[in-house]
Amino acid sequence: MEKLYECLKQKKINNSRAREVIYDVLCDSKECMSVSAISNEANARYPKKISLNTIYRHLGLFIECKLAVMVQDDYKRAFYCLADKETMLFSICPTCNRLAKQVVSEDQREHINQLVTEGSVCQFITLHEYCKRCGK
């Protein structure tokens, strides 16, 4: 939550409870979430209804502050998750379009760092691979 407060202070934006709830939903999720999933979870936690417009606006702020990343699948559906300090790795199943954030080992991290050219900024890499459910 400290990163959020730092971003708001830097942008000179007032804090809101709705913004905190949306950020909390992303913090608690271990997977990438669609806007509808974020909306359902946020509205379950917060007594007032948070509109989709508000959610999109706050997600845009999180991305601008590098607190979150947006990953799109092949059908241009957007999924959101909190950003890591390192380059993140995602996989998209070409059959079912399931998007998953991959846990990266130290060996894989070194390989990713070699792939990313020095001096470039790379937030995430997306691999197209079959998920365990489709198992091709």
Side-chain angles (χ1 to χ4, degrees):
M1 201 57 83
E2 292 298 317
K3 291 179 183 179
L4 175 62
Y5 296 141
E6 187 179 308
C7 170
L8 297 176
K9 185 178 176 183
Q10 186 179 49
K11 297 271 185 195
K12 298 180 182 172
I13 299 173
N14 291 332
N15 191 21
S16 72
R17 181 71 181 121
R19 190 178 287 125
E20 286 181 358
V21 169
I22 294 166
Y23 189 75
D24 247 0
V25 167
L26 289 174
C27 285
D28 293 344
S29 175
K30 298 202 184 312
E31 296 183 7
C32 297
M33 298 180 77
S34 66
V35 171
S36 63
I38 293 169
S39 175
N40 291 341
E41 184 64 30
N43 285 320
R45 294 182 187 195
Y46 190 59
K48 295 181 181 177
K49 178 159 175 45
I50 302 173
S51 71
L52 289 177
N53 194 21
T54 299
I55 292 171
Y56 277 112
R57 192 173 62 251
H58 292 325
L59 288 171
L61 174 68
F62 298 161
I63 291 168
E64 188 179 320
C65 291
K66 298 192 183 346
L67 297 173
V69 294
M70 178 190 67
V71 181
Q72 290 182 325
D73 66 8
D74 293 341
Y75 298 106
K76 301 294 182 196
R77 291 181 294 208
F79 296 89
Y80 299 86
C81 69
L82 290 183
D84 288 340
K85 292 178 183 173
E86 303 278 335
T87 301
M88 295 182 296
L89 182 65
F90 297 96
S91 64
I92 297 176
C93 178
T95 302
C96 70
N97 250 357
R98 173 173 264 131
L99 180 76
K101 185 176 177 182
Q102 300 293 318
V103 177
V104 180
S105 69
E106 275 304 312
D107 294 342
Q108 291 171 323
R109 175 80 51 213
E110 285 182 32
H111 184 66
I112 289 171
N113 289 337
Q114 289 173 357
L115 291 174
V116 177
T117 59
E118 196 169 316
S120 69
V121 178
C122 181
Q123 278 189 302
F124 60 88
I125 296 172
T126 307
L127 301 173
H128 291 261
E129 64 182 4
Y130 292 102
C131 67
K132 292 176 184 174
R133 223 174 53 180
C134 296
K136 290 188 176 183

